Every structure is written in C-alpha cells, then in structure tokens.
Amino acid sequence: MPIPDLSILIIDENRIRASIIEDGLREAGHARVVVIHDVNEVGRTIADTSPDVVFIDLENPKRDTLEHFFSLSRAIQRPIAMFVDRSESQMIEKAVEAGVSAYVVDGLKKERVKPILDMAISRFNAFAKLTRELEQARSELEDRKIIDQAKGILMKTRGLAEADAYALLRSTAMNQNRRMADIAQSLVTAAELLGP
Amino acid sequence: MSTTHLTAGFLPLLDSVLLVLAREKGFAEAEGLDLNLVRETSWANIRDKAALGHFDIAQMLAPMPLAASLGLTPLASEMIAPVVCGLGNNAITVSADLWRSMADHGAPGNLAAGPSGAALAKVVAASRRKLRFGVVHQTSSHNYELRYWLAASGIQPDRDIEIVVLPPSLLPDALGSSGLDGYCVGEPWNSIGVATKGAHMVTTKAAIWQSSPDKVIGMRADWAQAQPERVAAIIRAIYRAGEFCADPANHAEIAQIMAKPAYLNAAPDIVGRALSGRFEIGAGAVAQVPDHFIPNASAANFPWKSHALWYYSQMVRWGEVTSSPTNAAIAAACFRPDLYRTALAPLEINVPVLDDKTDGTHDRPYQIAGTRGSLTMGPDQFFDGQVFDPSALDRYIAEQARS
C-alpha cells in the first residue's frame, strides 16, 4: 500500500534518470516528490519540504556535502540513517549495485520506506539497461558505417561486387577470429596511410 | 607464485601515488597481487564500498577507519589501517581577496602557520560576514587540521567561521566563484587553485603539525583477519612504492604517471610540485617546503597507534564522539603496527619497536629504537607548541575542551 503523505527528495544530476524515478514514485501514489539536480539547492529545498527520504546517485561527488549537511541540519532534528537500516545489508547491496544511495530520516518505519527504495532501485536498474541498449545501438551503427567504407575500398581497388567484398571481409574476420568491424577499421586505416 | 586479484578504491589526489605506483611499477605484482584500481567520486563512496566488500582495500582518510569502527558512519563496520600512505601533503589555500586582507593584517607570505593564523584572526574579527572554508569530508584529517589551526589562532570554528564539505576536485572552482573564502585539501588541488583561480597558499599541514599522517590503506578487520598473507603483501607493495617515490631521481617519471587522465588528469608540472616541495604559492611567489610530502622517510608508512589517538582526540574535541576508555581503545585498535612489523620482517627493514610516540617535543631530527638499530625521525612539532603524549590522553582532551 502506498503511503501518499511521505515526502521524498531525489537528487540526481541526470535529468532523464531523475524523471524516471519521479514518475515511478508518482505512479505508486506518492504525491510529495521533489527533484533537484544540484546539491547546492539542497539547503533551501530541505528547509521547504523537510523530506522523510532522500535519494542521491552514487556518481554524485557531492555525497560528502550532503552527509555533512544532514549532520548539521536544523531542519532535520534527528540524525539520519542511510539505506533504511544498518541491518538491511542485502538492501544496501542492491542499492549500491544500482548506483543509488538513500538517506532516511531516523525513526521512520522501514516498512514504509522499503517499497520506495525497492522502486527506486528497479528504476535505476531500468535506466542503466536503457543506457546500455542505447550504447549498443550506437556502436552497431558505427560498425555498419566503417564496414560500408571498407567494402567501398575493396570494390574500388579489387574490382569486387558488393556481395563479394562483404564476403571477403567476413571470411577474413572469421579466419582471424576478429570482429568484422575491426577488420574493416584496419583496412580503412591502411587505405588512409597508403592512399594517394 | 599465484596471482590474487585485488580491487582498491582511490580518489584523485597526489597521495594516491603509492597505490598507483604499486600497480604501475610492478610492486604489487611482485607480491603476487593483481591490483585493480577504481577511481571514485566521493569519500562516502570509498567508505561505503569498502564496508560492503566492493573494494578489498582503499585509499582512506586516516580518521576514516576510526569513524567506521566507532559507529559514526552509516554502514558501521570494523576497519583497520595497517600501512600509512606517507606524511603531509595538505595545505590551506585562500582566495585572492582574503589573501589581500590577510596580508594587510600582517600575514607573512612564507607559509608559517602561526603568523598566518594570527592575521586571519584579525580579518575574521573585522569581517562583517562569516568567512566560509571548505574541507573534503566530515571525518577527514583536513577538517581536524583546519580546526586545530583556527582554534590555536584564536578563531572558534562553527562560531566565527563556517566550514562546509566539498569533494577535493570541486574546491578550486568553488573558491573561484566566491562560494568559498578558503579550503584545506591535499595536492594537487592547492596548486590548481593557485594556477587557475588566483588563489594563495597560506600554510601547510607540515607547518601545522610536522611529520603528520594523512592517508592510509584501509580495509575491513574481518577481511584482513581472514587473509594475513594478502595483507602482508599489500603492506610490502606500498612500502616498496614509498621507497621508489622517495627517490628524487624518479620524480619526473612519477609526475608523468600521476598526470594521466586515469589518475589526476592534471598537468605534470603542477602534479610535480608536491613531490619536489617547490610551490608557487600565489602572485608569483615561490616557497620551498622540503617536508611537504614524505612518502617513506621518518617511518612514514608506520601506523602509529598514537596518531590514531590524536585523531580520536579531535573527534572528541569537536563533539563527534564521547570520550571514554572504550572509545579510545577502539580508535587505537584501528591502526595495526603489529601487522606492519610482521609484513616487513622478511625484507629486513628497520621498523619502530614501539606502537606509540609522543608528538610535539622534537624541533629537529631525532633517533628512535628500531628492530634493526636506531631509526631517524623527522621533527614533530605542533605550530602552537603543544605536546601530544598518548599516555596522557585524558589530560590532552580536557585541556582542549577548556581552551
């Protein structure tokens, strides 16, 4: 059951990822979600919203700043616990693997926080998967470009048909146990060096 | 010899140099370690990933294993430090504006801690706004050094000035954009502030407390206990790296290595300043600080229990932990001279026989007893003339509370 009155602060310099997490929390019925992209704004934001839970991405170098801020904060009277509870080591593992660090106001019941943290972790993982897929698509596109270029060189210098040029690249790659794109790259580099 | 894989976290700072050299110059490999270095973005990440076992070992701030063992950190776990990554390396740097005011109030411009602190006290007293200084982490040597210097200069931290935490690499920019008036950080970030933001170096760690420790190799106590051979191999690799780093003939090569994008990603001539001790301190002035960073001499890699206790005394002083015999024992237990001695015994290296020493009584080099004859130690004075005798810890803490 979502508990809509919980106030949640997300600090993420990556706007796309932040919005993915924000959307997930709103879908789960959490209306009081605030997203900031810069830790420098945190002072004012914390005073305004006094969050029960704070998420920050592990790549953010200002984690130290945030921890220090919490230790001084007048807005949050009690000390903070991180990752829900010190004893929840599996949860902590999962959060760190996903790249999320969570700060929870001490005294908050962990039954209330765990589902939120679970959601954030799965969204972080989903974002990482998206990024990987995008990267893969991009590199496939690059591969195709370089292979086309190599094919062109073979067609021109050896007088091959396109299909034969492709077959030659592929058999060379198989014989040498290398990627076709790598063979193509070597060919292009060599052509540039030897070319007119 | 079989090779064991080892993952170590580090932050881009010059004193990660022994860890980097252990890998780059093959000292780790010679000990059968395949050392994999992971650059991190914050000390909090280093601490948490070490506590969770993502890192076997890590470059850590000297007070960090204490904070973890004393339960001050979110993922409290027992941590130890069996080897120190050299002495010194920090400095305090201020903005051009603040430096002008300090110079007007008699700051000497020679990095002397006492007169610089006295000048800052006059500026603070006359200033209409609170000055803001940056340090790199709450339980950092930098925080305690800066506070020690301020307090001994008559400036009450938290009341008279503001201290904030920022990661090392962001400090010069924060100073340049007027977000900070000064900061305490390790090299190369003081030199980068001077070179790129018109900042001015005011004093150094070596001037505040001579021959004092800053970074250590930290690890979980249970991990270390389960594999003493690996721990010994790490200690020996770091020691060898320290020997290599101490030879001026190697400094140019080391500066090139550390300047690489994977490590400091900074110009070799700036990286090299901390190694040579020859600093541009601002406005074209140059200062020679021969003891700025001591990678190996003066038993620099030896984890003195008394050094752990000094950091503990400062944690008590600034209200982070309560003073008790139990807490003092926990803090002292984090530094492990026993493991250090055992690891270096096969190399026939001269190592201190005692676990503790008194700091603040030597204004020149002196001799102590080593396992293979006497050992030469550098001077160890505090700039305000105080003495830290670990056997009189309670009195030291009580006196600081009164001052």
Side-chain angles (χ1 to χ4, degrees), chain A residues 10-170:
Chain A
I10 301 163
I11 304 164
D12 200 328
E13 283 175 355
N14 187 315
R15 285 165 193 271
I16 299 168
R17 183 171 54 203
S19 70
I20 289 175
I21 299 166
E22 185 185 3
D23 289 349
L25 287 167
R26 291 195 186 282
E27 278 165 28
H30 294 284
R32 296 172 59 200
V33 183
V34 176
V35 180
I36 60 173
H37 303 290
D38 188 351
V39 177
N40 291 337
E41 304 164 32
V42 85
R44 204 175 46 245
T45 313
I46 286 197
D48 291 349
T49 60
S50 58
D52 302 304
V53 188
V54 179
F55 290 108
I56 184 168
D57 61 302
L58 281 187
E59 300 121 81
N60 194 320
K62 290 190 183 159
R63 267 193 73 197
D64 291 299
T65 308
L66 188 69
E67 287 191 9
H68 179 69
F69 182 83
F70 280 137
S71 80
L72 299 176
S73 178
R74 301 289 174 268
I76 295 175
Q77 294 289 337
R78 282 169 298 187
I80 55 121
M82 198 176 67
F83 302 113
V84 186
D85 190 303
R86 283 175 188 176
S87 59
E88 290 262 322
S89 59
Q90 261 193 320
M91 188 65 149
I92 297 165
E93 268 294 329
K94 268 167 57 193
V96 169
E97 297 287 5
V100 59
S101 179
Y103 300 78
V104 178
V105 179
D106 205 14
L108 194 64
K109 287 218 169 16
K110 71 177 170 200
E111 299 83 70
R112 301 184 64 188
V113 177
K114 193 171 177 304
I116 304 175
L117 190 53
D118 273 331
M119 203 283 312
I121 291 169
S122 73
R123 292 256 158 172
F124 249 76
N125 284 331
F127 175 78
K129 188 162 166 271
L130 257 176
T131 313
R132 265 198 314 277
E133 281 166 5
L134 189 69
E135 191 52 46
Q136 202 181 346
R138 193 176 288 147
S139 90
E140 275 165 15
L141 193 69
E142 287 296 315
D143 284 359
R144 213 168 60 211
K145 268 195 221 157
I146 200 85
I147 289 168
D148 281 346
Q149 224 179 322
K151 262 192 327 197
I153 293 168
L154 286 175
M155 286 157 72
K156 200 168 136 198
T157 57
R158 306 260 312 252
L160 294 175
E162 185 176 353
D164 294 336
Y166 185 81
L168 179 58
L169 278 175
R170 198 175 59 178

